[in-house]
Amino acid sequence: MKKNKLFAIITSLVLLLTIASCGKSQSSSSEKGKEANVVEQNNKPSEDEAPQAAPILGKNVAVDEQVLFNQNGIVVTLKSIDHSAWLGPELKVLVENNGDRGVTVATRNSSVNGVMVDTWFVCSVEPGKKANDTITMFKTDLEQAGITTINEIEFYFHVYDSSTWESIFDTSIITILTDADASYIQQYDTSGTLIYEDEGLTVIIQSIDDKDSFWGTDIYVYVENRTGSDVTVTLRNTSVNGFMIDPLFYCEVASGKRAYDSITFLESYLEENDIDSIDSMEFSLHIYDSGTWRTIKDTDVITVTFD
């Protein structure tokens, strides 16, 4: 995978997520567990959505030094990319604050090769000062999306007052191209069970993993957004094997992008209901505009079974 998460949530969870990702091999979604089947749902996968093989290219690409933006006295310059970092590739940047108040600069709506990924970048700079910092792309997100060669990186910067948290401005979308081979084409795994497709939005359940998940059980999901607007997909009225259980799932997908995400059921919730294996789940999708929070669609109940 890449989401406008509250800073406090990110701060509290990033260490745990890092620990969980270390020492655990990543596999393709088709290898992660049971297959899903939709019950009482008329949508069917199209024939051209056959699984795509993950690219086998593996190149440590480079980027040109460049000014990413210069606005209101705030300048961010991209210096280089480092592929040796522990959490994942890092963009090394220089942040200059030529304004009259302390600011914090963060990344939003990050994607790599058209796939939403989480990036870690929160840089505070006092007036008249500079800071060297890094924008981290998590390797677990890249691996889940089958990205081995970084061709294109996109995001925008959110700049706010360090003291009051008052928003100052958001930049336009920034695109960074690497020196990857111009003929490189990212392949996307769209295998699985189609549970929703309407007005440019596609949601596919790919597989279930109850062995390697740090939290409990993960159900892997692919979302593609061709609606022309940034959208967020969540679940409502969710039940597992007939028991009401709230999952962790908040998937924000920028317009024209894809996301590989997971619906997570905490182990403690499953144990409280004596659930050793997820055989079926029911839910409805709540889809809304990420910017305005306007509801786009509340689906009918969707039933999915797992073999």
Side-chain angles (χ1 to χ4, degrees):
M1 20 144 75
K2 330 137 94 74
K3 303 173 183 177
N4 292 333
K5 300 175 182 175
L6 295 175
F7 176 72
I9 295 176
I10 296 179
T11 304
S12 62
L13 291 180
V14 68
L15 180 57
L16 288 175
L17 291 173
T18 300
I19 294 172
S21 67
C22 297
K24 182 178 74 174
S25 63
Q26 298 291 318
S27 59
S28 68
S29 61
S30 61
E31 297 172 336
K32 287 178 179 174
K34 303 177 183 178
E35 295 182 353
N37 302 288
V38 176
V39 180
E40 299 173 357
Q41 185 74 9
N42 293 325
N43 293 329
K44 297 180 180 180
S46 61
E47 294 180 356
D48 60 355
E49 289 178 345
Q52 300 287 344
I56 60 175
L57 300 175
K59 178 185 178 184
N60 288 346
V61 296
V63 294
D64 293 332
E65 181 171 331
Q66 56 195 280
V67 175
L68 298 181
F69 83 91
N70 182 348
Q71 186 174 342
N72 293 9
I74 311 302
V75 184
V76 176
T77 302
L78 173 64
K79 308 297 286 187
S80 62
I81 185 171
D82 178 13
H83 294 271
S84 64
W86 180 44
L87 293 178
E90 294 179 341
L91 297 175
K92 295 185 177 297
V93 295
L94 171 66
V95 182
E96 303 175 64
N97 182 1
N98 301 312
D100 56 4
R101 57 175 167 172
V103 301
T104 299
V105 184
T107 48
R108 296 276 179 87
N109 272 14
S110 303
S111 67
V112 174
N113 296 1
V115 179
M116 303 296 292
V117 300
D118 284 327
T119 52
W120 181 249
F121 180 70
V122 181
C123 182
S124 297
V125 189
E126 290 300 298
K129 305 299 182 182
K130 304 177 182 180
N132 287 304
D133 212 326
T134 57
I135 301 171
T136 299
M137 295 167 280
F138 293 103
K139 62 182 178 183
T140 51
D141 288 350
L142 301 178
E143 290 169 348
Q144 184 177 4
I147 296 173
T148 58
T149 298
I150 297 175
N151 181 44
E152 178 186 87
I153 305 164
E154 286 192 342
F155 51 77
Y156 70 85
F157 286 108
H158 175 61
V159 182
Y160 59 93
D161 188 292
S162 299
S163 299
T164 66
W165 287 44
E166 174 192 359
S167 178
I168 300 174
F169 65 87
D170 291 334
T171 70
S172 56
I173 292 293
I174 293 168
T175 301
I176 300 169
L177 298 177
T178 72
D179 67 348
D181 192 316
S183 64
Y184 174 78
I185 299 176
Q186 178 66 46
Q187 301 296 318
Y188 304 106
D189 179 7
T190 61
S191 63
T193 302
L194 181 70
I195 63 170
Y196 180 82
E197 186 169 45
D198 189 31
E199 297 181 351
L201 185 68
T202 300
V203 183
I204 295 172
I205 287 186
Q206 298 198 297
S207 63
I208 183 172
D209 179 10
D210 57 4
K211 295 180 174 59
D212 295 325
S213 172
F214 180 76
W215 302 104
T217 296
D218 290 328
I219 296 173
Y220 293 93
V221 180
Y222 169 83
V223 181
E224 185 172 341
N225 178 12
R226 304 177 305 280
T227 66
S229 301
D230 298 344
V231 302
T232 300
V233 182
T234 61
L235 302 189
R236 286 186 171 176
N237 301 325
T238 306
S239 66
V240 173
N241 297 359
F243 292 91
M244 302 300 294
I245 301 179
D246 290 327
L248 303 177
F249 183 64
Y250 172 90
C251 184
E252 185 175 354
V253 191
S255 176
K257 306 301 181 185
R258 300 166 168 85
Y260 293 90
D261 212 324
S262 60
I263 302 167
T264 299
F265 292 96
L266 297 180
E267 183 176 3
S268 59
Y269 288 179
L270 297 175
E271 290 177 346
E272 288 172 2
N273 292 281
D274 296 322
I275 296 175
D276 297 324
S277 173
I278 295 180
D279 302 315
S280 65
M281 61 181 292
E282 289 188 353
F283 56 89
S284 60
L285 295 176
H286 176 57
I287 305 164
Y288 61 92
D289 187 288
S290 302
T292 66
W293 289 47
R294 177 184 61 85
T295 296
I296 297 173
K297 181 79 171 182
D298 284 313
T299 70
D300 294 333
V301 173
I302 298 170
T303 302
V304 179
T305 61
F306 299 94
D307 295 332

